[in-house]
Amino acid sequence: MEYTDKVVDHYTNPRNVGKIEDASGVGEVGNPVCGDIMKMFIKVENNIIVDVKFKTFGCGAAIATSSISTEMIKGKTIEEALALKNTDVVNSLGGLPPVKLHCSVLAEEAIHEAIADYYRKEGKMTEEEIREKCNLKEHHCEHCGD
Amino acid sequence: MDTIYLDNNATTKTDDEVLKAMFPYFSESYGNPSSIYKIGRENRRAVEEAREKVAEVLNCEPNEIYFTAGGSESDNTAIRGIAYSYKKKGNHIITSKIEHPAVLETCKQLEKEGFEVSYIGVDENGIVKLDELQSAIRPTTTLITIMFANNEIGTIEPIKEIGEIAKKNNIVFHTDAVQAVGSVRIDVQELNIDSLSLSGHKFYGPKGIGALYVKKGVQFQKFINGGHQERNKRAGTENVPGIVGLGKAIELAYQDLEEHNKKIKELRDYYVEQIEKRVPYIKVNGDREKRLPGNSNISFRFIEGEGLLLNLDLKGICASSGSACTSGSLDPSHVLLAIGLPHEIAHGSLRISIGKYNTKEEIDYTIDSIVEIVARLREMSPLWEEFNEKK
């Protein structure tokens, strides 16, 4: 399966590339050994994600999923952002080749990690509560064991 | 936008002269070479003339050349065929870690069938370690199969030395010369090569046609069963247009070899020199001297190869990468890992392979494009950011 026009559009002109200096939360997932790292920066005001930026090391699909997911959570509440599933990201791109589906999972996880980081900085919840609310998974890469 | 084709190690454009030589055998003289009537005999003659051309280039006898459907079939035929023919003597094969999958996967399959295989390492430039090869030899070793030149990093292996080691130890030596034929002068007698694979489409010939040289006296079992074609070693009606095309292509390639190589090498060296000058934090892979004239393989740190390829494609530039994303697996190229590159640097590799049709203008446009795309992808890369923060 080839990349859809939407994927091509997003890796050619990625939206929201960069970093937020005074980010409310930063989430980083993936590792360079596997060839994908996504770093997501969010700015939260009154429970709303008012700004989001990303940096990604990875293939076309990794760049496109990061880009479109920043668009999908910008202006949304934290709960809405947490409800975003990797399949929503895939659907909004018009599909991804099967071997690239893990990129959409990374995008979902990067958002969750950024929100968890925001909660940690806020200091109102225990780590256990944060992990449950953000549905944090133990990162496990079958490939490199990281 | 015009296509700028810089993937000549993957395949090449069929030369117009080659096409012209092939055409009559599709629609005018279309007889089966095994038939006795005129258009059958014409086809037999065409096949044998092509065989002579291949034999002349390799400095062997025409009856030591077998036509196949390509490089992979030649490798499969030689390795399996020789391994099984010498099974009574032993079941041990020696190969390298940087072979083409046509060789590696055949060896892995043979391991499942009870053979033992040693995979020899290479140095940081991709040159097979001869001492390791030497000490891997056992009384049961029947076959050494080492590639002539590597398809990813272009390194040319010490074939003459390997041939000598094989000869001294009475071991059959096969070489996958798919990347070398058409770029390097090869004398199978001088180099002590017992068996060699080549493929037509790597030197401006058609796809789907290859040849296998096997020295007289070296045993190999047939791979494709059926009729008695190719001296009962490869069944199937001969692909006459393909064979004619391969014959023409190999003739043309060696007519102007030094002239083409000089031009191609100049463009390649210019490309590498400019990239080294204009892009920081890169690594040029493969041996600087012992390498194919058109091949370059450069790792761009902090970025991933597929992103680079996709952006080059948007500019009409065709190249390839050793990143995992382009190999269809999670691992980057086995060749880049074998020369000791860390995964993250192997992921950012770009192979540009220049051919006889490329121009300086195309290379200049490509250099400018790479400089711009690498800078853009690095701006996007968290690894680049971390690296700059640490500095």
Side-chain angles (χ1 to χ4, degrees), chain A residues 33 55-56 60 100 143, chain B residues 306 331 347 379-380 385 389:
Chain A
V33 175
K55 289 220 166 182
T56 290
K100 303 288 187 180
H143 170 60
Chain B
E306 195 210 60
D331 275 318
H347 281 299
E379 273 314 304
M380 212 186 283
E385 181 188 320
E389 277 168 4

Side-chain angles (χ1 to χ4, degrees), chain A residues 3-67:
Chain A
Y3 284 143
T4 63
D5 291 346
K6 195 88 181 260
V7 176
V8 177
D9 175 35
H10 275 273
Y11 73 61
T12 325
N13 304 298
R15 293 24 157 205
N16 304 310
V17 174
K19 61 191 285 193
I20 299 174
E21 291 298 342
D22 57 340
S24 318
V26 182
E28 185 175 319
V29 293
N31 71 63
V33 175
C34 284
D36 294 300
I37 304 177
M38 267 181 213
K39 200 168 180 182
M40 201 74 84
F41 305 80
I42 55 170
K43 180 90 187 150
V44 180
E45 281 169 16
N46 304 321
N47 202 44
I48 306 270
I49 298 173
V50 293
D51 196 12
V52 51
K53 291 264 193 283
F54 82 92
K55 289 220 166 182
T56 290
F57 163 83
C59 61
I63 293 167
T65 51
S66 325
S67 165

Side-chain angles (χ1 to χ4, degrees), chain A residues 86-105:
Chain A
N86 80 297
T87 44
D88 302 328
V89 176
V90 175
N91 290 338
S92 60
L93 286 169
L96 275 179
V99 294
K100 303 288 187 180
L101 288 175
H102 74 278
C103 294
S104 65
V105 177

Side-chain angles (χ1 to χ4, degrees), chain B residues 24-50 240-241 243-244:
Chain B
Y25 295 94
F26 284 108
S27 48
E28 287 167 36
S29 184
Y30 45 79
N32 189 317
S34 298
S35 303
I36 58 161
Y37 38 75
K38 184 168 172 280
I39 57 169
R41 295 196 307 274
E42 280 172 8
N43 273 260
R44 166 63 51 212
R45 201 175 310 132
V47 167
E48 297 315 319
E49 278 173 18
V240 181
I243 290 170
V244 169

Side-chain angles (χ1 to χ4, degrees), chain B residues 122-127 129 153 283-287 338-341:
Chain B
V122 295
D123 70 11
E124 70 278 10
N125 294 326
I127 291 183
K129 291 177 177 162
I153 56 173
K283 184 181 177 304
V284 179
N285 301 314
D287 197 277
I339 61 171
L341 291 195

